[in-house]
Amino acid sequence: MVEQNLGDKAHPGATRPPGAPPPDLTARQVRRMKRFDNPWRNPKLIWGAGLLLSIVALGILGRLFWDTDLVFTGSGMPRQAPVGVENIRGQIGSWAHPLGTDVSGKDLLALLIVGAPNSLYVGVLASLIGMSTGIFLGFTAGFVGGRTDDVIRVLSDVMITIPPLLILVVFQAAYGDISLTLMALLIAAFVWQSPTRLIRAQVLSMREAGYVQMARLSGASTGHIMFREMMPNLVPYLFGSFIANVTTSIVTAVGLEVLGLGPQRIPTLGRVIYDAINSGALIQNLWWWWGIPTLLLAVMFIGLLLINLGLDEVSNPRLRRL
Amino acid sequence: MGRIPASYMINRLLTLFLTVFIAATLIWIIPRLSPIDPVDVMLGRMAAGGGAIENSGAILTQLRESFGLDQPLIVQYLLYIKNTLTLDFGLSTASFPTPVAQLIGQALPWTLGLMLVSLIITFIIGNLLGALMVWENTPRLWKVAIPSAMVMTAIPPLLSGLLLMYVFSSQLGWFPLTGAYGLNVEPGWDTGFIGSVLHHGFLPAMSIVLVTFGFWALGMRGLMITVQGEDYSVLAKAKGLRPRYILYRYMIRNAILPQVTAFALQIGGLVAGQVLVERIFAYPGMGKLLYDAILDQDFPVIQGLSFVIILMTAIAVFLVDLVYPLIDPRIRHGRD
């Protein structure tokens, strides 16, 4: 459904034989058009995935080549600047701590190596659980209809209004220290609504589509219709929703950590920023302490955004441009 | 312009009521399941403040009674719902005996003011830029610059706040680092105070605007692409109307309406984002209050704040839903 000639999309009403490139294109544009023939080979998608994979690689390779025990207090001299940069006491950063150290001597590179995958882990786990719940509820609502549909619809309408951060603040303030996995589970309780709504709407519109009617008439089982007929058409939407939820989950997790409510004993990027703000890193000009985790988080979010924009273009050919 | 159908109204009201009810219930249940006893925490604070406390056992019982903790759970719950609906959240334990409602009342205007200002700015800038991304007469430079700026959307306001704070207050010193107004001005309706408030509020507002305009721009872009292909746009162009006139009166006008509903879904995230921005800038709104309460383990304040913020969100969503059919006559509710 998406492999249409883009030239025709760009110039509606043009009378050309299908498949032939429009005459007024440069060689570069023709090349790009050919590349778009496979919608999944989208530059935004590739860049976004690349950014995320490099963070994952940092987590994996970092553990091999760098000592992660340096995340503990007193691993080095406090307030060391990154390599080649001078700190406030005139000491120049060395390769012993390439990204510098914080006020209690924790090595920042080690903190990032351990912390960045933790953030991704929370995001992906929460989003996976939310997604599965959403797929289940969305299909149920769309297929069963009636009272069940009403309950699911109202519940997701209600829950989508409640900002997860605020309920989780109450939770974590009441329970104290929690593990990463528990945090992911809690966040998952707030990210099933949008996939549920999305899938319900799609299922409702697809139910009347010709090919689904056809499958039903030819005696296909409900499971077959769901997974073989409908699911493939939902894939770009599901991916998009999944990535959006990963972003929401990470933002929520980092928010909790910055409020000082995340896991207390495991290094996370939000926790590093929390410590930095609390110790007055901004006033002491220890920019690497909060700046580097901030930058890493920004890269992570930009990667996720690019993937999402790419997926939008996959599922909505109108957004594609030459 | 039309009336809002009763069924739609009832539906929306029911959602509003359920949202508030579920939020209140969650906020009540969660701490009950926790092993930490709020009275213990409070007593611990008293002990830390004034040395050992004699007959603390008696005080414990007394406190439990005064908080109604000796009642059966269902009575406690009903009492809580009644109190919450009348916005009575009890007394703060950290700044005992100030009522929580009073603390929230002091923080609320700051939060609402900051939110309203940043929302209006971001809505205008975002939609305008989104429209320019699609418009055919946009200068080439803008066509390149706007999508690149869109990358900022990915970053939560917390992080952009940190960056702005570093560059503009810590390094350049153009704006104050924290607070909502200078220490040397008295609150009042004079130019000195208002100027100070604007000066202090600029960076927090900017850190929200900088990362949220992209959301509107992207939504607007999608809508504009649709509008661009509509017959009325083509006709307007064929009639030879000025391009700028077509952009404002034909395209943006038709594309902007669905953006209002998108807003309803955004509110929750915006509120959460702003809470964190206030926390970094030590802006005396709800975010800072929340952060202080977390540090002090001031449970009534945390509960009250969470509830008020969720209540505000739910009401905002409700209002957007109500206003929408009024401003977009094409929508007829009650059919779906």
Side-chain angles (χ1 to χ4, degrees):
Chain A
M1 87 187 159
V2 279
E3 282 108 325
Q4 286 174 3
N5 188 309
L6 286 157
D8 286 342
K9 275 279 168 197
H11 308 280
T15 47
R16 274 195 310 277
D24 54 342
L25 287 181
T26 63
R28 188 169 155 271
Q29 280 171 321
V30 170
R31 262 207 312 281
R32 268 193 94 165
M33 256 178 66
K34 286 196 176 139
R35 187 165 58 196
F36 271 160
D37 273 344
N38 180 355
W40 293 98
R41 273 173 58 197
N42 177 307
K44 284 180 185 147
L45 209 55
I46 293 167
W47 271 100
L51 286 180
L52 281 194
L53 282 178
S54 59
I55 291 176
V56 174
L58 169 79
I60 297 171
L61 296 178
R63 273 162 222 261
L64 296 178
F65 294 113
W66 195 248
D67 182 9
T68 49
D69 278 349
L70 293 175
V71 296
F72 295 112
T73 305
S75 302
M77 288 286 289
R79 297 190 178 87
Q80 292 275 9
V83 178
V85 181
E86 199 173 302
N87 71 3
I88 216 161
R89 287 175 296 176
Q91 297 162 323
I92 296 197
S94 66
W95 282 103
H97 302 287
L99 296 182
T101 57
D102 74 358
V103 80
S104 55
K106 295 175 188 165
D107 179 62
L108 264 170
L109 180 58
L111 282 175
L112 294 191
I113 289 170
V114 181
N118 280 348
S119 294
L120 270 180
Y121 166 76
V122 169
V124 171
L125 181 62
S127 188
L128 269 181
I129 298 170
M131 213 55 218
S132 325
T133 319
I135 292 175
F136 175 73
L137 289 179
F139 266 116
T140 312
F143 259 103
V144 180
R147 199 48 64 80
T148 324
D149 182 29
D150 287 343
V151 171
I152 293 175
R153 189 172 44 81
V154 169
L155 206 62
S156 61
D157 273 0
V158 163
M159 291 295 282
I160 213 163
T161 316
I162 301 178
L165 185 73
L166 292 155
I167 298 287
L168 295 182
V169 160
V170 173
F171 187 95
Q172 304 209 342
Y175 285 76
D177 195 6
I178 62 164
S179 71
L180 270 182
T181 308
L182 183 56
M183 185 152 90
L185 290 177
L186 287 171
I187 293 172
F190 292 90
V191 292
W192 55 269
Q193 304 93 326
S194 52
T196 303
R197 287 159 63 118
L198 182 93
I199 291 161
R200 177 180 168 273
Q202 291 289 330
V203 167
L204 283 182
S205 73
M206 268 193 249
R207 212 165 51 167
E208 307 307 324
Y211 60 93
V212 173
Q213 301 278 24
M214 193 60 135
R216 190 169 294 138
L217 285 178
S218 49
S221 65
T222 312
H224 179 93
I225 294 176
M226 274 191 206
F227 293 105
R228 303 300 299 273
E229 303 288 338
M230 289 182 165
M231 265 306 215
N233 290 309
L234 282 172
V235 166
Y237 297 99
L238 289 178
F239 260 118
S241 178
F242 175 74
I243 296 293
N245 273 345
V246 172
T247 310
T248 314
S249 308
I250 297 179
V251 169
T252 306
V254 170
L256 284 170
E257 287 155 16
V258 168
L259 286 169
L261 287 173
Q264 309 287 318
R265 295 185 196 87
I266 313 155
T268 54
L269 295 182
R271 181 84 194 167
V272 176
I273 296 175
Y274 169 82
D275 286 339
I277 301 173
N278 271 13
S279 315
L282 277 162
I283 297 168
Q284 298 180 46
N285 203 11
L286 305 170
W287 54 266
W288 56 91
W289 188 3
W290 58 268
I292 295 172
T294 300
L295 204 68
L296 197 64
L297 279 173
V299 168
M300 200 184 282
F301 290 128
I302 289 170
L304 288 165
L305 175 82
L306 286 177
I307 293 182
N308 224 350
L309 292 181
L311 286 170
D312 264 355
E313 289 177 6
V314 170
S315 58
N316 184 1
R318 274 216 245 191
L319 290 173
R320 279 183 241 154
R321 287 291 182 75
L322 288 174
Chain B
M1 289 290 181
R3 288 185 309 113
I4 303 169
S7 61
Y8 175 75
M9 185 87 180
I10 291 170
N11 190 333
R12 295 288 93 194
L13 262 176
L14 191 76
T15 312
L16 171 69
F17 175 76
L18 265 177
T19 310
V20 174
F21 178 74
I22 289 182
T25 307
L26 277 176
I27 291 172
W28 184 81
I29 291 179
I30 290 167
R32 310 285 134 173
L33 303 171
S34 156
I36 300 173
D37 186 338
V39 177
D40 271 348
V41 171
M42 191 173 162
L43 215 65
R45 174 188 321 287
M46 285 180 172
I53 296 176
E54 284 175 44
N55 57 19
S56 60
I59 295 180
L60 258 169
T61 332
Q62 166 81 49
L63 275 176
R64 274 185 218 288
E65 257 172 51
S66 67
F67 283 121
L69 291 176
D70 51 346
Q71 307 268 1
L73 275 180
I74 182 73
V75 178
Q76 284 187 38
Y77 176 66
L78 292 176
L79 207 68
Y80 162 81
I81 291 288
K82 188 197 124 222
N83 286 343
T84 305
L85 291 181
T86 52
L87 296 183
D88 172 10
F89 307 110
L91 306 175
S92 158
T93 53
S95 43
F96 194 76
T98 321
V100 173
Q102 189 187 327
L103 289 174
I104 294 178
Q106 285 161 358
L108 198 60
W110 293 109
T111 296
L112 284 180
L114 181 60
M115 185 179 295
L116 217 61
V117 170
S118 47
L119 250 179
I120 292 171
I121 300 175
T122 188
F123 190 82
I124 295 173
I125 295 183
N127 282 310
L128 210 58
L129 290 184
L132 287 179
M133 277 163 91
V134 178
W135 196 38
E136 29 193 53
N137 298 48
T138 310
R140 190 164 262 280
L141 184 66
W142 284 80
K143 288 247 185 191
V144 183
I146 301 172
S148 324
M150 223 45 56
V151 165
M152 294 296 289
T153 328
I155 302 166
L158 160 79
L159 302 183
S160 65
L162 274 173
L163 285 172
L164 287 180
M165 207 171 170
Y166 176 70
V167 175
F168 291 104
S169 341
S170 172
Q171 294 299 302
L172 296 173
W174 291 356
F175 293 97
L177 204 54
T178 55
Y181 54 89
L183 295 172
N184 49 353
V185 292
E186 281 289 311
W189 290 109
D190 53 77
T191 48
F193 178 69
I194 293 171
S196 180
V197 166
L198 291 179
H199 193 204
H200 280 75
F202 186 80
L203 279 189
M206 268 306 125
S207 49
I208 297 172
V209 170
L210 203 61
V211 294
T212 48
F213 81 86
F215 168 80
W216 303 106
L218 281 180
M220 192 64 178
R221 175 172 170 246
L223 292 164
M224 284 288 285
I225 289 175
T226 315
V227 169
Q228 200 177 31
E230 297 280 350
D231 290 342
Y232 57 80
S233 304
V234 180
L235 178 66
K237 207 169 140 191
K239 280 200 292 191
L241 294 176
R242 272 182 300 121
R244 205 171 286 268
Y245 186 82
I246 301 176
L247 174 70
Y248 289 119
R249 303 306 299 256
Y250 282 70
M251 299 172 74
I252 293 188
R253 221 175 140 182
N254 279 294
I256 198 125
L257 289 171
Q259 286 286 75
V260 178
T261 29
F263 174 63
L265 292 176
Q266 262 309 84
I267 297 170
L270 283 175
V271 168
Q274 190 179 333
V275 164
L276 295 169
V277 168
E278 286 179 8
R279 177 258 185 276
I280 357 175
F281 282 97
Y283 202 78
M286 318 248 272
K288 180 166 183 298
L289 188 59
L290 181 67
Y291 176 63
D292 290 343
I294 291 169
L295 279 189
D296 293 333
Q297 291 194 295
D298 191 345
F299 222 83
V301 173
I302 298 178
Q303 281 179 308
L305 267 176
S306 295
F307 180 76
V308 169
I309 297 176
I310 293 168
L311 182 71
M312 275 167 40
T313 316
I315 290 177
V317 171
F318 174 69
L319 288 180
V320 170
D321 281 348
L322 277 199
V323 166
Y324 192 60
L326 294 182
I327 58 172
D328 189 353
R330 289 173 299 188
I331 301 289
R332 299 204 208 305
H333 288 285
R335 289 263 180 97
D336 46 27

